[in-house]
Amino acid sequence: MSSFWSLQLLAQDGIAASQQHGILELVRSAGLVVQAILYLLVLFSVVSWGIIAQKFWQMLRAKRESAKFVEIFWERRNLSSIHDASRELSSSPVGQVFRSGYEELVRVSRSKKASAGDNLTTELGGVENVSRAMKRATSVETTKLEKNCSFLATTASSAPFVGLFGTVWGIMDAFRGLSITHSSSIQAVAPGIAEALIATAMGLAAAIPALMAYNYFVQQVKFLAVEMDNFSHEFLNIAERHFFK
């Protein structure tokens, strides 16, 4: 019985190896245009997977460090200590939004103390200055999170059409060769059509992971953007109650 299973596994391995070898042979025997399209799609796929890995790690760190920063913010009372924590949690979008707001708050407090003593009021636009600083930081952090996602969207939308173009071109070559050989047999065009269809398959292989990853990252960016907005409102309320009475 064990020898039977061994023979079956060997047969399956041989079939898989022959199929892989056959695909490689089809790629090698394809025309120059189809080969160029295949190499382009492979390049798109490799770059997309690199971006997917980088963005996944970036989003994971951003969510973890943001959660840690929010916990630190509500546990500690000293804003200066929280500011030091935001420097250490550099991958936290929420932490960087707080950092911008806190630094603007310090600048406004110092300027108002120098001009009007220790009495801080909202008349000089202190809250608005802090709000604008935090909105600007939110835009910067959102841009960082969205970086390179456009390439995934481009790959997802264009790769199937690039592959389809390669398929159409390959089929045109196959039928052109059929007219030259003056043969009407399907065996005469089957290899050319098989070579052409690889381009469509490669286009889909590059587009599907890129599309799924793009949708996932867009949702993560929206989630973090909401967290930054909510934290900005909370911090502005605290600043207005305690610093701009």
Side-chain angles (χ1 to χ4, degrees):
M1 181 64 68
S2 60
S3 60
F4 172 76
W5 286 112
S6 299
L7 290 174
Q8 188 175 6
L9 290 174
L10 289 173
Q12 292 176 353
D13 293 341
I15 293 173
S18 62
Q19 289 177 347
Q20 183 178 8
H21 181 72
I23 293 174
L24 292 177
E25 286 298 328
L26 288 175
V27 173
R28 293 192 189 98
S29 59
L32 292 178
V33 175
V34 176
Q35 284 188 356
I37 290 173
L38 288 174
Y39 292 142
L40 178 62
L41 292 173
V42 168
L43 178 63
F44 277 11
S45 181
V46 171
V47 175
S48 295
W49 278 108
I51 292 174
I52 290 170
Q54 185 265 331
K55 298 301 293 185
F56 182 81
W57 176 244
Q58 181 187 13
M59 298 293 178
L60 184 63
R61 288 188 61 187
K63 292 178 66 175
R64 286 180 177 177
E65 293 194 6
S66 292
K68 184 177 180 181
F69 173 80
V70 171
E71 183 179 354
I72 292 172
F73 178 81
W74 292 113
E75 286 180 353
R76 299 183 184 179
R77 299 286 183 177
N78 192 334
L79 290 180
S80 178
S81 175
I82 299 173
H83 181 256
D84 294 336
S86 69
R87 290 178 179 271
E88 296 176 0
L89 301 173
S90 60
S91 297
S92 167
V94 178
Q96 301 313 304
V97 170
F98 164 80
R99 183 178 174 184
S100 296
Y102 173 78
E103 291 175 355
E104 183 63 26
L105 179 63
V106 171
R107 285 192 291 269
V108 171
S109 300
R110 288 175 180 173
S111 63
K112 289 184 177 181
K113 286 180 180 179
S115 61
D118 295 334
N119 186 20
L120 298 179
T121 65
T122 58
E123 294 179 359
L124 298 178
V127 174
E128 288 78 5
N129 291 343
V130 176
S131 177
R132 282 193 294 268
M134 298 186 78
K135 287 180 180 179
R136 183 168 57 250
T138 299
S139 298
V140 171
E141 293 301 318
T142 303
T143 302
K144 289 180 181 178
L145 293 171
E146 292 176 343
K147 185 179 180 181
N148 295 329
C149 285
S150 59
F151 184 87
L152 296 178
T154 301
T155 300
S157 60
S158 63
F161 294 102
V162 174
L164 182 61
F165 173 75
T167 297
V168 172
W169 191 276
I171 292 176
M172 287 170 55
D173 283 344
F175 280 102
R176 188 181 299 115
L178 183 64
S179 63
I180 294 174
T181 57
H182 303 288
S183 175
S184 60
S185 174
I186 188 64
Q187 286 81 6
V189 295
I193 294 176
E195 295 166 6
L197 290 175
I198 294 176
T200 298
M202 190 62 211
L204 294 175
I208 293 173
L211 177 61
M212 295 176 66
Y214 175 77
N215 291 333
Y216 172 77
F217 293 141
V218 166
Q219 293 299 319
Q220 296 301 307
V221 171
K222 289 181 179 179
F223 172 79
L224 291 169
V226 170
E227 279 199 338
M228 288 185 281
D229 288 337
N230 291 338
F231 178 82
S232 297
H233 296 316
E234 292 287 346
F235 181 77
L236 289 173
N237 290 336
I238 293 172
E240 190 170 1
R241 285 197 303 267
H242 296 281
F243 294 94
F244 300 101
K245 294 181 180 178

